[in-house]
Amino acid sequence: MRSEKSFSFLVCLLATSFLLSGFAQSETAPEGTRAIEFPDIPGYVTLKCDLHMHTVLSDGSVWANIRVQEAVKDGLDAIAITDHLEYQPKRKDIPHPDRNRGYELAKEMARGTDLMIIPGAEITRSMPVGHFNALFIKDANALNQKDVLEVFREAKSQGAMVFWNHPHWTAQKPNGVAELTDMHKNLLSEGLFSGIEIYNETTYSDEALEIAHDHQLTILGNSDVHGPIDWQFDPSKGEHRPVTLVFAAEKTPTAMKEAMEQRRTAVWFKNTLVGDALYLSPLVEQSLEISRTGEGAVASVKIHNHSDADYILENLSEYRLHNQAKVFTLKAHESTTLQVKTVEALESFEMQFRVLNAFASPENHPEIKFVIE
């Protein structure tokens, strides 16, 4: 019976590899509205990443080839297959003693694409520890051990970047409030984790963002997807998966890890951006192409938004608008013309806005400035 299961498992793997070999050679990220689009910022490339997802090798319902295909369709730059180390509900049907197997399958399946596959695994424990993802690991099997502190220490010895998953998850925190326990404080004191999810699947935590600020943790937002991604986030309705934006020196795993260690990340979910204003402000500025299209005491300014975000702006300028209220929206991938009441004709003037759907902290929004020539 055991040999029959192993044979069936091998057939599944061979079939999946055969199907993907054709995909890897022919599939490219499609043009259009599905691919998530944000510009690079000065000095850095903007990497769109989903760093928490599951396959049939733990409690997911799809194989790694599907995760790769979904990510390519969404225009992502990097993903991590983070199957549970300890939680293996399908072990009778899909026995796989090698916890590196999900990464290896995804890596093979991503050949011929520009998608980076980051090795990872999910440490799955009850509170007060909870769930953590370890990324950039060298051997997931070495993390599959009983003593939880030794698991974290092993991850650190492998040079992993470890972050706290869904600290506001009501299954482990019934009140939905993320807070540090003594165990988490001990982990921090040993330098055993350095990041925290502020957004997971469809839920957000202001408290997790505050913890990140208080303890200089990297913020992340991920899908934690188990089924097909389109079942959770329907593109036909304009929905998109949450992603972590990583501002890296270049598109390589090494540069990506360095950026995450330096906390150069932001989170994009629904129509919201969260991150340090140091990176959010230039991200919004680089998204917008501005041209002056009319002179006079009421100047016309055309703004084209090249990003996927509908930016909700509040006018902070000394000049009021003739055709908009103080708060207005720049729709994604569309142009908007502002009529600016400068009172007298000016060769140049400055416009300043607060980005209301972007958050540097739970109460603060980044601001942007433009000189209109």
Side-chain angles (χ1 to χ4, degrees):
M1 190 69 176
R2 180 77 176 183
S3 61
E4 291 177 2
K5 289 182 178 179
S6 299
F7 177 76
S8 298
F9 181 50
L10 178 60
V11 170
C12 288
L13 292 181
L14 290 173
T16 301
S17 298
F18 174 78
L19 288 171
L20 188 79
S21 64
F23 160 76
Q25 294 172 9
S26 61
E27 187 80 6
T28 58
E31 296 182 358
T33 58
R34 168 141 189 169
I36 298 172
E37 295 181 296
F38 282 97
D40 297 334
I41 65 175
Y44 302 110
V45 295
T46 300
L47 303 179
K48 297 152 292 183
C49 313
D50 190 349
L51 303 173
H52 187 174
M53 55 179 64
H54 298 277
T55 74
V56 294
L57 297 186
S58 61
D59 59 342
S61 58
V62 305
W63 285 87
N65 68 311
I66 301 301
R67 293 287 174 248
V68 170
Q69 293 178 35
E70 292 168 338
V72 170
K73 286 184 177 181
D74 284 342
L76 300 190
D77 296 292
I79 63 170
I81 304 296
T82 54
D83 280 316
H84 299 281
L85 289 167
E86 302 88 349
Y87 183 49
Q88 292 286 312
K90 296 183 176 68
R91 62 167 56 92
K92 290 183 179 179
D93 303 299
I94 310 176
H96 69 105
D98 183 0
R99 295 294 189 268
N100 299 303
R101 190 61 179 149
Y103 164 72
E104 292 169 353
L105 286 171
K107 185 77 171 176
E108 173 65 22
M109 294 165 183
R111 283 196 310 169
T113 76
D114 292 328
L115 183 67
M116 296 189 295
I117 309 297
I118 306 302
E122 182 164 6
I123 302 165
T124 312
R125 303 297 174 106
S126 58
M127 288 294 280
V129 179
H131 296 194
F132 284 76
N133 274 356
L135 303 182
F136 305 100
I137 57 177
K138 296 180 174 63
D139 180 14
N141 295 316
L143 303 179
N144 190 24
Q145 50 184 291
K146 185 174 182 179
D147 188 295
V148 68
L149 276 178
E150 291 307 312
V151 174
F152 280 88
R153 289 166 181 158
E154 172 62 29
K156 183 176 182 179
S157 74
Q158 293 187 25
M161 192 279 175
V162 179
F163 64 88
W164 188 3
N165 296 342
H166 42 66
H168 54 291
W169 184 29
T170 53
Q172 293 189 330
K173 289 289 295 180
N175 63 5
V177 177
E179 56 186 344
L180 295 172
T181 66
D182 289 340
M183 171 64 81
H184 296 109
K185 293 174 183 177
N186 289 337
L187 293 174
L188 285 173
S189 68
E190 280 196 48
L192 296 179
F193 78 95
S194 59
I196 187 169
E197 276 187 340
I198 64 168
Y199 195 89
N200 175 276
E201 192 177 14
T202 60
T203 60
Y204 171 72
S205 174
D206 275 338
E207 293 84 7
L209 181 59
E210 290 167 345
I211 291 172
H213 284 167
D214 292 343
H215 297 274
Q216 292 76 54
L217 301 179
T218 301
I219 63 169
L220 300 98
N222 302 300
S223 69
D224 195 2
V225 64
H226 288 67
I229 194 72
D230 288 11
W231 287 9
Q232 187 68 55
F233 310 98
D234 189 347
S236 69
K237 297 179 181 178
E239 297 174 352
H240 65 87
R241 74 169 82 203
V243 292
T244 302
L245 302 178
V246 179
F247 306 105
E250 59 183 3
K251 185 178 176 178
T252 64
T254 299
M256 178 179 163
K257 182 183 178 187
E258 185 272 337
M260 295 179 70
E261 290 172 341
Q262 295 299 314
R263 296 184 287 124
R264 296 199 305 268
T265 65
V267 176
W268 166 239
F269 63 94
K270 296 182 179 177
N271 192 46
T272 305
L273 284 162
V274 181
D276 194 318
L278 185 63
Y279 308 112
L280 286 190
S281 292
L283 183 70
V284 179
E285 290 169 357
Q286 293 298 310
S287 298
L288 305 179
E289 180 182 351
I290 298 179
S291 58
R292 188 168 178 173
T293 58
E295 308 296 331
V298 179
S300 293
V301 178
K302 181 180 178 182
I303 304 179
H304 186 78
N305 180 2
H306 291 282
S307 79
D308 266 11
D310 293 339
Y311 291 121
I312 304 172
L313 303 185
E314 178 186 5
N315 182 20
L316 304 179
S317 311
E318 61 176 295
Y319 309 110
R320 294 181 176 179
L321 303 177
H322 193 52
N323 64 335
Q324 299 279 5
K326 185 176 182 179
V327 175
F328 60 95
T329 301
L330 298 179
K331 299 289 289 183
H333 303 289
E334 293 185 10
S335 294
T336 301
T337 297
L338 303 180
Q339 295 177 351
V340 186
K341 294 188 285 189
T342 57
V343 182
E344 58 181 322
L346 300 175
E347 288 188 4
S348 66
F349 56 92
E350 184 178 273
M351 297 293 292
Q352 182 175 354
F353 305 99
R354 182 178 289 126
V355 188
L356 297 182
N357 61 318
F359 294 84
S361 71
E363 305 298 331
N364 296 310
H365 306 282
E367 297 178 4
I368 58 174
K369 292 182 180 180
F370 296 102
V371 174
I372 312 300
E373 300 291 349

